[in-house]
């Protein structure tokens, strides 16, 4: 069994153990400090999920939530990267936008629901605004720190070779900050899901969050858990997509070498990415050279001169 197959097996065992514990506690109707007598069992939730998957309203709610999260997250990604880069690179932008973002950043995005209701003509636009606001600040902060952490050597090299500010931005700053940017995007997509579901519960008309809240109001607890499972699956899929995109965009980065267990498998050796040569300007890595053979001792002076006999 390969190392990757072993990891997937361990994850499946962990998930199965959690589901088994859930089934055991709910089937026994335990009521100690925690009350499980009103919780639906795993079988009841699975039956409700299979029934809803075959209905149209389930997919309609799914489509609304995905459209809101994609629209809000893309807006937050573009605005967050632009604002973070501007604050990190421009003193004027830091003075103008820095205080405003630091004052607004601690405010929870879900607290902006009354503002969204008053500001936008429709609930749909208000939910997208809340989703965008939730993901905007993690992206901005990560981009700002990633840009400020870049070494100035690369920028100086581009300027020395005649490159302008645009060339520095698109050839040095943004590529160098990509790892930090995608770190902020990974955090932002999770926060965006939290806020879009909360906004749908408060002021939505369709969506997974709205349907979950409606199930709670009519005491349909299997439906509530179906909504929770759906939200978790959607969040996992979207965060995995962001991470895969980040790995593809930063494929030029050196990857850690496989461990001893993985190195024994031929597939792990084939999948190991070779480390690219160091860029120009960095200290080269000198390979050890064999010691040079000692030079022959020069012949004595009198041995090189002809005899005068």
């Amino acid at each position: 069994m390969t190392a990757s197959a072993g990891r997937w097996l361990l994850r499946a065992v962990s998930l199965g153990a959690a589901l088994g514990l859930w089934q055991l506690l709910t089937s026994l109707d335990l009521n100690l400090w925690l009350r499980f007598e009103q919780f639906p069992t795993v079988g009841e939730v699975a039956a409700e999920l299979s029934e809803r998957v075959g209905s149209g309203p389930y997919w309609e709610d799914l489509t609304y939530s995905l459209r809101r999260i994609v629209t809000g997250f893309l807006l937050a990604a573009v605005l967050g990267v632009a604002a973070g880069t501007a604050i990190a690179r421009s003193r004027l932008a830091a003075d103008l936008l820095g205080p405003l973002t630091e004052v607004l950043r601690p405010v929870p995005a879900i607290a902006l629901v009354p503002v969204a209701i008053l500001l936008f003509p429709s609930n749909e636009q208000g939910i997208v605004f809340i989703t965008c606001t939730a993901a905007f600040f993690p992206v901005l902060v990560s981009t700002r720190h990633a840009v400020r952490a870049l070494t100035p050597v690369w920028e100086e090299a581009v300027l020395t070779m005649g490159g302008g500010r645009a060339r520095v931005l698109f050839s040095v700053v943004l590529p160098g900050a990509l790892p930090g940017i995608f770190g902020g995007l990974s955090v932002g997509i999770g926060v965006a899901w939290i806020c879009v579901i909360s906004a749908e519960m408060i002021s939505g008309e369709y969506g997974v969050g709205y349907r979950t809240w409606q199930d709670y109001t009519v005491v349909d607890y299997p439906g509530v858990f179906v909504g929770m499972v759906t939200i978790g699956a959607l969040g996992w899929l979207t965060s995995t997509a962001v991470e895969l995109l980040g790995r593809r965009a930063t494929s030029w980065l050196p990857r850690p070498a496989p461990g001893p267990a993985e190195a024994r498998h031929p597939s792990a050796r084939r999948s190991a990415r070779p480390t690219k040569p160091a860029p120009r300007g960095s200290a080269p890595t000198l390979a050890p050279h064999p010691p040079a053979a000692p030079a022959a001792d020069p012949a004595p002076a009198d041995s090189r001169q002809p005899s005068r006999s």
Side-chain angles (χ1 to χ4, degrees), residues 3 32 44 69 74 92 125 133 148 156 173 177-178 199 202 212 214 222 226 267 289 300 307:
L32 300 176
E44 294 173 351
I69 198 75
L74 289 179
L92 178 61
Q125 298 172 357
T133 305
R148 286 179 177 175
E156 294 172 357
V173 176
L178 273 181
I202 296 174
T212 303
Q214 292 300 312
V226 166
S267 60
H289 295 282
S307 62

Side-chain angles (χ1 to χ4, degrees), residues 154-169 171-172:
W154 308 112
E155 180 178 352
E156 294 172 357
V158 174
L159 294 176
T160 302
M161 291 185 292
R165 295 175 62 89
R167 184 64 180 270
V168 170
L169 178 63
S171 299
V172 176

Side-chain angles (χ1 to χ4, degrees), residues 11-95:
R11 295 175 183 179
V13 169
S14 174
L15 181 59
L19 293 176
L21 181 61
W22 177 6
Q23 178 69 25
L24 177 64
L25 293 176
T26 52
S27 60
L28 295 178
D29 292 336
L30 291 182
N31 189 8
L32 300 176
W33 181 59
L34 298 175
R35 301 174 297 176
F36 291 96
E37 71 272 12
Q38 294 184 354
F39 266 52
T41 64
V42 177
E44 294 173 351
V45 175
E48 183 70 19
L49 177 60
S50 62
E51 181 181 350
R52 294 200 177 190
V53 166
S55 63
Y58 179 83
W59 296 105
E60 185 179 9
D61 292 331
L62 208 67
T63 302
Y64 271 92
S65 294
L66 283 175
R67 185 175 63 189
R68 291 161 178 167
I69 198 75
V70 169
T71 305
F73 180 72
L74 289 179
L75 288 174
V78 174
L79 297 177
V81 171
T85 305
I87 292 174
R89 298 278 301 171
S90 172
R91 183 175 301 177
L92 178 61
D95 293 337

Side-chain angles (χ1 to χ4, degrees), residues 58-241:
Y58 179 83
W59 296 105
E60 185 179 9
D61 292 331
L62 208 67
T63 302
Y64 271 92
S65 294
L66 283 175
R67 185 175 63 189
R68 291 161 178 167
I69 198 75
V70 169
T71 305
F73 180 72
L74 289 179
L75 288 174
V78 174
L79 297 177
V81 171
T85 305
I87 292 174
R89 298 278 301 171
S90 172
R91 183 175 301 177
L92 178 61
D95 293 337
L96 292 177
L97 301 178
L100 181 62
T101 56
E102 290 302 317
V103 169
L104 296 178
R105 187 160 62 95
V107 179
I110 197 62
L112 299 177
V113 170
V115 177
I117 294 175
L118 296 175
L119 188 62
F120 294 94
S122 67
N123 290 338
E124 188 72 17
Q125 298 172 357
I127 294 175
V128 172
F129 165 74
I130 294 171
T131 307
C132 176
T133 305
F136 170 77
F137 290 105
V139 178
L140 181 144
V141 173
S142 298
T143 303
R144 183 184 64 190
H145 287 299
V147 172
R148 286 179 177 175
L150 293 176
T151 176
V153 174
W154 308 112
E155 180 178 352
E156 294 172 357
V158 174
L159 294 176
T160 302
M161 291 185 292
R165 295 175 62 89
R167 184 64 180 270
V168 170
L169 178 63
F170 292 103
S171 299
V172 176
V173 176
L174 292 180
L178 273 181
I181 292 174
F182 274 98
L185 292 175
S186 298
V187 177
I189 191 66
V191 179
W193 270 113
I194 295 173
C195 291
V196 72
I197 295 299
S198 302
E200 288 176 349
M201 289 182 176
I202 296 174
S203 61
E205 296 178 357
Y206 299 97
V208 180
Y210 169 80
R211 192 65 56 190
T212 303
W213 182 254
Q214 292 300 312
D215 291 333
Y216 172 75
T217 56
V218 298
V219 199
D220 183 5
Y221 293 126
V224 173
F225 278 84
V226 166
M228 294 170 60
V229 170
T230 304
I231 295 167
L234 291 175
W236 175 68
L237 289 175
T238 51
S239 62
T240 302

